[in-house]
Amino acid sequence: MGTNTTDNFSASVRLTEKGADLCIKDQQLEHYFADIGTKSQHTTQFVTENHVKVRTPDQVCSDPLKVRTILTNHPVWDEYDSRCIGCGRCTTSCPTCSCYSVFDVVHNKEYRVGERRRQHASCMTGNFTDMAGGHSFRDKTGERLRYRALHKVNDFKARQGEHHMCVGCGRCDDRCPHYISFSNIINKMADQVELTLKEEAANV
């Protein structure tokens, strides 16, 4: 997902059989290690390859609106209406999910004593989109998963213009009780966009 490198760090540590090698960028930290160990040629290294490969939709189509148009009502999401149980474990483990809901706790009605609390919420769980008057959106879990997937690897980057919201950590893959792989979903999205574009080009 392109999040494996950064220049924004103060120091890095690499553990070896001989001990720990340090690379210190922040000069203010150097005096803490001045009398420890010996000089090392250690340089910071980043992950260069992962056994799980993903291809995002923007790699096959540079227009995020076109990606959204292709995938919004695509049947690729139908299988998740039964596979996904809407437990929200994928979003509660995600380092970039921060949605919450607000509710009131009444301690004493007579004296109007209570408190307003903020609680972690998730677009993958039921009632998240409930509105006044009993209106609700995205009742099916496949629709919720579509919303989440498009937000993570299409809409966020379209608005912010730099990186996708998904950082590729794989926590959601590990936490899902029904073994739904978000990595596979991203690849499916890219495959369907590519297939649709080829079909449109062939019909011109």
Side-chain angles (χ1 to χ4, degrees):
M1 298 301 297
T3 57
N4 57 314
T5 61
T6 181
D7 290 326
N8 186 22
F9 66 95
S10 299
S12 69
V13 179
R14 180 176 62 198
L15 299 178
T16 68
E17 294 178 356
K18 297 179 180 179
D21 282 339
L22 279 76
C23 176
I24 301 171
K25 278 184 62 179
D26 187 344
Q27 304 301 318
Q28 295 180 0
L29 297 176
E30 285 191 349
H31 73 276
Y32 291 107
F33 304 96
D35 300 325
I36 301 174
T38 58
K39 285 285 186 180
S40 170
Q41 297 300 317
H42 166 61
T43 55
T44 304
Q45 296 177 338
F46 299 95
V47 175
T48 57
E49 191 175 12
N50 196 326
H51 68 281
V52 177
K53 307 292 183 187
V54 293
R55 183 173 65 142
T56 55
D58 61 326
Q59 292 177 277
V60 295
C61 178
S62 59
D63 183 359
L65 183 58
K66 181 69 173 178
V67 170
R68 169 168 277 285
T69 302
I70 293 171
L71 293 173
T72 295
N73 295 310
H74 200 283
V76 72
W77 307 108
D78 293 345
E79 71 169 285
Y80 301 107
D81 289 339
S82 57
R83 284 191 65 195
C84 176
I85 60 175
C87 65
R89 288 183 72 178
C90 55
T91 49
T92 55
S93 64
C94 178
T96 64
C97 281
S98 57
C99 288
Y100 63 88
S101 59
V102 176
F103 65 98
D104 294 328
V105 178
V106 178
H107 298 303
N108 189 314
K109 286 185 179 180
E110 184 179 351
Y111 294 101
R112 295 184 178 180
V113 177
E115 61 181 303
R116 179 158 289 170
R117 292 182 181 175
R118 191 168 80 166
Q119 176 177 300
H120 190 218
S122 166
C123 61
M124 289 305 302
T125 58
N127 306 322
F128 180 74
T129 59
D130 284 359
M131 298 177 64
H135 302 288
S136 184
F137 303 94
R138 298 191 296 273
D139 291 324
K140 296 180 179 179
T141 51
E143 295 173 334
R144 297 178 207 155
L145 192 54
R146 178 203 66 209
Y147 172 81
R148 178 173 182 258
L150 280 170
H151 184 59
K152 295 290 183 183
V153 294
N154 187 66
D155 300 345
F156 178 82
K157 184 177 180 180
R159 294 189 187 105
Q160 304 300 323
E162 190 171 356
H163 298 293
H164 290 297
M165 181 175 271
C166 176
V167 296
C169 67
R171 293 177 186 175
C172 53
D173 286 19
D174 293 338
R175 293 287 299 275
C176 180
H178 277 208
Y179 306 104
I180 296 173
S181 169
F182 196 64
S183 307
N184 287 342
I185 290 173
I186 296 173
N187 286 330
K188 282 183 183 179
M189 291 168 69
D191 290 344
Q192 294 304 324
V193 170
E194 184 177 45
L195 180 62
T196 301
L197 293 176
K198 285 181 178 178
E199 290 174 350
E200 289 179 354
N203 294 328
V204 171

mmCIF file of all heavy atoms in Angstrom, residues 1-20:
data_model
loop_
_atom_site.group_PDB
_atom_site.id
_atom_site.type_symbol
_atom_site.label_atom_id
_atom_site.label_comp_id
_atom_site.label_asym_id
_atom_site.label_seq_id
_atom_site.Cartn_x
_atom_site.Cartn_y
_atom_site.Cartn_z
ATOM 1 N N MET A 1 0.821 -1.211 0.000
ATOM 2 C CA MET A 1 0.000 0.000 0.000
ATOM 3 C C MET A 1 0.858 1.265 0.000
ATOM 4 O O MET A 1 0.349 2.365 0.134
ATOM 5 C CB MET A 1 -0.929 0.011 1.212
ATOM 6 C CG MET A 1 -1.921 -1.143 1.245
ATOM 7 S SD MET A 1 -3.012 -1.197 -0.196
ATOM 8 C CE MET A 1 -3.906 0.336 -0.037
ATOM 9 N N GLY A 2 2.170 1.119 -0.132
ATOM 10 C CA GLY A 2 3.045 2.279 -0.205
ATOM 11 C C GLY A 2 3.304 2.951 1.127
ATOM 12 O O GLY A 2 3.721 4.102 1.176
ATOM 13 N N THR A 3 3.078 2.235 2.228
ATOM 14 C CA THR A 3 3.288 2.831 3.551
ATOM 15 C C THR A 3 4.472 2.200 4.269
ATOM 16 O O THR A 3 4.585 2.284 5.485
ATOM 17 C CB THR A 3 2.027 2.671 4.421
ATOM 18 O OG1 THR A 3 1.709 1.267 4.520
ATOM 19 C CG2 THR A 3 0.858 3.408 3.829
ATOM 20 N N ASN A 4 5.358 1.553 3.526
ATOM 21 C CA ASN A 4 6.452 0.812 4.156
ATOM 22 C C ASN A 4 7.694 1.653 4.405
ATOM 23 O O ASN A 4 8.641 1.193 5.028
ATOM 24 C CB ASN A 4 6.829 -0.404 3.296
ATOM 25 C CG ASN A 4 7.221 -0.006 1.887
ATOM 26 O OD1 ASN A 4 6.526 0.788 1.268
ATOM 27 N ND2 ASN A 4 8.306 -0.558 1.382
ATOM 28 N N THR A 5 7.734 2.886 3.904
ATOM 29 C CA THR A 5 8.896 3.730 4.131
ATOM 30 C C THR A 5 8.487 5.078 4.721
ATOM 31 O O THR A 5 7.378 5.553 4.481
ATOM 32 C CB THR A 5 9.677 3.990 2.822
ATOM 33 O OG1 THR A 5 8.820 4.673 1.899
ATOM 34 C CG2 THR A 5 10.160 2.692 2.219
ATOM 35 N N THR A 6 9.384 5.669 5.476
ATOM 36 C CA THR A 6 9.148 6.993 6.047
ATOM 37 C C THR A 6 10.479 7.645 6.424
ATOM 38 O O THR A 6 11.454 6.951 6.718
ATOM 39 C CB THR A 6 8.251 6.911 7.295
ATOM 40 O OG1 THR A 6 8.024 8.226 7.804
ATOM 41 C CG2 THR A 6 8.895 6.064 8.385
ATOM 42 N N ASP A 7 10.496 8.961 6.391
ATOM 43 C CA ASP A 7 11.652 9.712 6.879
ATOM 44 C C ASP A 7 11.359 10.320 8.244
ATOM 45 O O ASP A 7 12.234 10.932 8.860
ATOM 46 C CB ASP A 7 12.005 10.843 5.898
ATOM 47 C CG ASP A 7 12.573 10.308 4.592
ATOM 48 O OD1 ASP A 7 13.274 9.276 4.650
ATOM 49 O OD2 ASP A 7 12.308 10.904 3.541
ATOM 50 N N ASN A 8 10.127 10.130 8.708
ATOM 51 C CA ASN A 8 9.680 10.761 9.949
ATOM 52 C C ASN A 8 9.925 9.835 11.142
ATOM 53 O O ASN A 8 9.006 9.223 11.673
ATOM 54 C CB ASN A 8 8.201 11.134 9.826
ATOM 55 C CG ASN A 8 7.702 11.917 11.022
ATOM 56 O OD1 ASN A 8 8.498 12.525 11.737
ATOM 57 N ND2 ASN A 8 6.404 11.887 11.251
ATOM 58 N N PHE A 9 11.177 9.696 11.542
ATOM 59 C CA PHE A 9 11.503 8.904 12.721
ATOM 60 C C PHE A 9 12.762 9.474 13.367
ATOM 61 O O PHE A 9 13.560 10.162 12.728
ATOM 62 C CB PHE A 9 11.688 7.417 12.375
ATOM 63 C CG PHE A 9 12.879 7.120 11.504
ATOM 64 C CD1 PHE A 9 14.094 6.743 12.067
ATOM 65 C CD2 PHE A 9 12.783 7.208 10.125
ATOM 66 C CE1 PHE A 9 15.193 6.468 11.272
ATOM 67 C CE2 PHE A 9 13.881 6.936 9.318
ATOM 68 C CZ PHE A 9 15.087 6.565 9.895
ATOM 69 N N SER A 10 12.912 9.207 14.658
ATOM 70 C CA SER A 10 14.062 9.720 15.411
ATOM 71 C C SER A 10 15.190 8.708 15.504
ATOM 72 O O SER A 10 16.364 9.069 15.558
ATOM 73 C CB SER A 10 13.625 10.126 16.819
ATOM 74 O OG SER A 10 12.658 11.153 16.754
ATOM 75 N N ALA A 11 14.828 7.425 15.573
ATOM 76 C CA ALA A 11 15.836 6.370 15.666
ATOM 77 C C ALA A 11 15.215 5.060 15.224
ATOM 78 O O ALA A 11 13.988 4.902 15.218
ATOM 79 C CB ALA A 11 16.363 6.246 17.097
ATOM 80 N N SER A 12 16.056 4.134 14.833
ATOM 81 C CA SER A 12 15.586 2.802 14.473
ATOM 82 C C SER A 12 16.480 1.757 15.123
ATOM 83 O O SER A 12 17.655 2.010 15.407
ATOM 84 C CB SER A 12 15.572 2.613 12.953
ATOM 85 O OG SER A 12 16.891 2.576 12.444
ATOM 86 N N VAL A 13 15.905 0.580 15.363
ATOM 87 C CA VAL A 13 16.637 -0.508 16.018
ATOM 88 C C VAL A 13 16.510 -1.764 15.162
ATOM 89 O O VAL A 13 15.430 -2.091 14.670
ATOM 90 C CB VAL A 13 16.066 -0.797 17.427
ATOM 91 C CG1 VAL A 13 16.819 -1.946 18.079
ATOM 92 C CG2 VAL A 13 16.126 0.445 18.288
ATOM 93 N N ARG A 14 17.621 -2.464 14.980
ATOM 94 C CA ARG A 14 17.610 -3.753 14.286
ATOM 95 C C ARG A 14 18.248 -4.775 15.210
ATOM 96 O O ARG A 14 19.400 -4.623 15.632
ATOM 97 C CB ARG A 14 18.373 -3.676 12.970
ATOM 98 C CG ARG A 14 18.375 -5.020 12.205
ATOM 99 C CD ARG A 14 19.060 -4.897 10.868
ATOM 100 N NE ARG A 14 20.471 -4.525 11.046
ATOM 101 C CZ ARG A 14 21.222 -4.017 10.080
ATOM 102 N NH1 ARG A 14 20.697 -3.763 8.890
ATOM 103 N NH2 ARG A 14 22.493 -3.726 10.301
ATOM 104 N N LEU A 15 17.505 -5.811 15.535
ATOM 105 C CA LEU A 15 18.002 -6.861 16.420
ATOM 106 C C LEU A 15 18.744 -7.907 15.607
ATOM 107 O O LEU A 15 18.238 -8.389 14.595
ATOM 108 C CB LEU A 15 16.845 -7.503 17.192
ATOM 109 C CG LEU A 15 16.042 -6.559 18.099
ATOM 110 C CD1 LEU A 15 14.887 -7.304 18.761
ATOM 111 C CD2 LEU A 15 16.941 -5.927 19.152
ATOM 112 N N THR A 16 19.941 -8.255 16.049
ATOM 113 C CA THR A 16 20.750 -9.272 15.386
ATOM 114 C C THR A 16 21.202 -10.300 16.419
ATOM 115 O O THR A 16 20.915 -10.170 17.614
ATOM 116 C CB THR A 16 21.989 -8.640 14.715
ATOM 117 O OG1 THR A 16 22.875 -8.153 15.745
ATOM 118 C CG2 THR A 16 21.586 -7.483 13.807
ATOM 119 N N GLU A 17 21.942 -11.297 15.962
ATOM 120 C CA GLU A 17 22.472 -12.305 16.883
ATOM 121 C C GLU A 17 23.477 -11.696 17.852
ATOM 122 O O GLU A 17 23.681 -12.194 18.963
ATOM 123 C CB GLU A 17 23.125 -13.442 16.093
ATOM 124 C CG GLU A 17 22.140 -14.251 15.254
ATOM 125 C CD GLU A 17 22.841 -15.323 14.448
ATOM 126 O OE1 GLU A 17 24.086 -15.384 14.493
ATOM 127 O OE2 GLU A 17 22.139 -16.101 13.772
ATOM 128 N N LYS A 18 24.130 -10.628 17.449
ATOM 129 C CA LYS A 18 25.140 -9.984 18.287
ATOM 130 C C LYS A 18 24.548 -8.956 19.250
ATOM 131 O O LYS A 18 25.232 -8.465 20.138
ATOM 132 C CB LYS A 18 26.180 -9.291 17.402
ATOM 133 C CG LYS A 18 26.958 -10.261 16.517
ATOM 134 C CD LYS A 18 27.952 -9.514 15.660
ATOM 135 C CE LYS A 18 28.736 -10.468 14.769
ATOM 136 N NZ LYS A 18 29.704 -9.753 13.900
ATOM 137 N N GLY A 19 23.292 -8.614 19.038
ATOM 138 C CA GLY A 19 22.659 -7.611 19.903
ATOM 139 C C GLY A 19 21.763 -6.697 19.105
ATOM 140 O O GLY A 19 21.101 -7.131 18.165
ATOM 141 N N ALA A 20 21.771 -5.414 19.476
ATOM 142 C CA ALA A 20 20.911 -4.438 18.816
ATOM 143 C C ALA A 20 21.751 -3.373 18.126
ATOM 144 O O ALA A 20 22.673 -2.809 18.716
ATOM 145 C CB ALA A 20 19.976 -3.790 19.833
#
